[in-house]
Amino acid sequence: MNALGRHVLAEVYGCSFEILNDIDRVEEIMVQAALKAGAEVREVVFHKFSPQGVSGVVVISESHLAIHTWPELGYAAVDVFTCGERVNPWDACNYMKEMFEAEHVEAREVTRGIIEPPQRTAVNI
């Protein structure tokens, strides 16, 4: 069975308030996570909320990385969706865990766009 992509959904706990509330730092970590995974960065959009929190997306040729932070809870919700075989979404997740100084991460991978191989019909010649 073949698939179009791999989508890692990560719950990131016990992170530094200062890091999760710093838009420039969150953006830098997310871009570097994409690059560490071997992705090609295309677009970057981040927003700082008041009184705290950051949301953003890094669009990559292979799909995207997205985040929303709750600094007051030390929590971030992270998605890493990659298409193709070249980029490993777990490399990005492991990098983010380290850089956000997370105490604990719960993550799962969802296979996206499952493509069945073509049916072959036996023909007697």
Side-chain angles (χ1 to χ4, degrees), residues 14-123:
C15 301
S16 160
F17 176 93
E18 290 75 21
I19 295 171
L20 291 186
N21 203 42
D22 184 333
I23 187 172
D24 295 327
R25 201 135 166 224
V26 171
E27 180 178 323
E28 178 184 342
I29 290 168
M30 296 292 287
V31 168
Q32 286 302 311
L35 295 173
K36 297 271 185 199
E40 183 178 335
V41 175
R42 293 294 184 172
E43 302 274 342
V44 178
V45 177
F46 281 79
H47 176 78
K48 175 78 167 69
F49 292 94
S50 180
Q52 67 254 337
V54 173
S55 282
V57 64
V58 176
V59 178
I60 57 177
S61 294
E62 302 79 9
S63 195
H64 70 273
L65 289 78
I67 190 168
H68 186 78
T69 73
W70 285 263
E72 70 279 16
L73 301 175
Y75 169 77
V78 175
D79 291 0
V80 181
F81 183 17
T82 62
C83 297
E85 302 293 322
R86 194 174 60 81
V87 178
N88 184 346
W90 292 103
D91 291 342
C93 288
N94 290 332
Y95 178 79
M96 285 185 275
K97 176 183 179 185
E98 178 184 339
M99 298 310 294
F100 290 135
E101 300 176 2
E103 293 174 3
H104 178 69
V105 175
E106 293 177 15
R108 64 186 173 105
E109 182 174 324
V110 177
T111 304
R112 306 295 303 268
I114 298 172
I115 307 298
E116 296 290 335
Q119 296 291 330
R120 296 185 187 223
T121 326
V123 177

